[in-house]
Amino acid sequence: MIQSKTSFLYALAALAVGVAPLDAQAIDSAAPATVTVDPSLAKRGENLWRKHHCAQCHTFGKGALIGPDLRGVAHRRTVVWLRQWLRETDRMLQSDSTAILLLATFGGVRMPTHGLSWSEVEELVHFITRENEHGAGR
C-alpha cells in the first residue's frame, strides 16, 4: 500500500515512463545524504563544478535551468544515490526510476556522463553539500 502522497506521485510517474516504481516504504524511509563537509574536498569539487560547466544547467536556490535546482538535493536523495548518479549517469537512466523520472521531467535532456573518478565524485558531493548548507546561489 502506498504510504504518502509523495510515494504515490513517484509510483505514478514511474509507471507513466514505463519503469517499475520503487517500493513506497523505501521512498519514504530513504535517509537523506549526510556528509560532514571537508573544506578541501569541497574546494576541489567547486573547481570540478566550474571545469564541467555545471552552472549552465544547475543552480542552488535560483530555480531549475536545463536541469534541476540542487537546493535541498542533499535532503531529497541519499548520498549513495548521489554518488552513483554522478559516476554512472547513463546506467542509472536505464534502471533507476528516480533518474528516469528526472529525465522525463526535464524533457528528455540527459545529464552528460563526465567520466568522473570516485574521488572526483566525492569532491562534488562535498561541494554540493557545502552549497546546500551555506545557501549559496550559483
Side-chain angles (χ1 to χ4, degrees):
M1 178 169 192
I2 296 185
Q3 302 292 318
S4 72
K5 183 177 178 182
T6 301
S7 295
F8 174 75
L9 293 174
Y10 274 116
L12 186 62
L15 289 172
V17 296
V19 298
L22 294 173
D23 177 77
Q25 192 67 23
I27 292 170
D28 288 337
S29 63
T34 54
V35 173
T36 301
V37 175
D38 176 315
S40 65
L41 289 177
K43 182 63 178 166
R44 291 198 301 265
E46 182 175 4
N47 291 337
L48 285 168
W49 175 270
R50 288 187 177 128
K51 174 183 173 186
H52 291 285
H53 308 286
C54 302
Q56 290 180 351
C57 298
H58 302 285
T59 69
F60 292 96
K62 292 185 176 181
L65 298 174
I66 295 168
D69 185 327
L70 297 180
R71 166 65 33 127
V73 72
H75 300 288
R76 293 188 305 270
R77 307 283 179 256
T78 66
V79 71
V80 171
W81 191 95
L82 288 172
R83 288 175 178 138
Q84 285 296 127
W85 175 249
L86 291 168
R87 173 82 171 162
E88 300 175 341
T89 307
D90 285 340
R91 187 181 68 74
M92 288 186 71
L93 285 170
Q94 294 181 12
S95 62
D96 181 85
S97 60
T98 300
I100 293 167
L101 179 59
L102 284 169
L103 182 65
T105 300
F106 288 90
V109 176
R110 301 170 81 84
M111 183 169 125
T113 299
H114 292 287
L116 300 170
S117 69
W118 283 111
S119 61
E120 290 172 322
V121 165
E122 198 62 21
E123 292 163 0
L124 278 169
V125 167
H126 280 257
F127 169 70
I128 291 167
T129 303
R130 184 191 76 190
E131 293 304 291
N132 272 268
E133 288 175 357
H134 292 116
R138 292 193 194 280

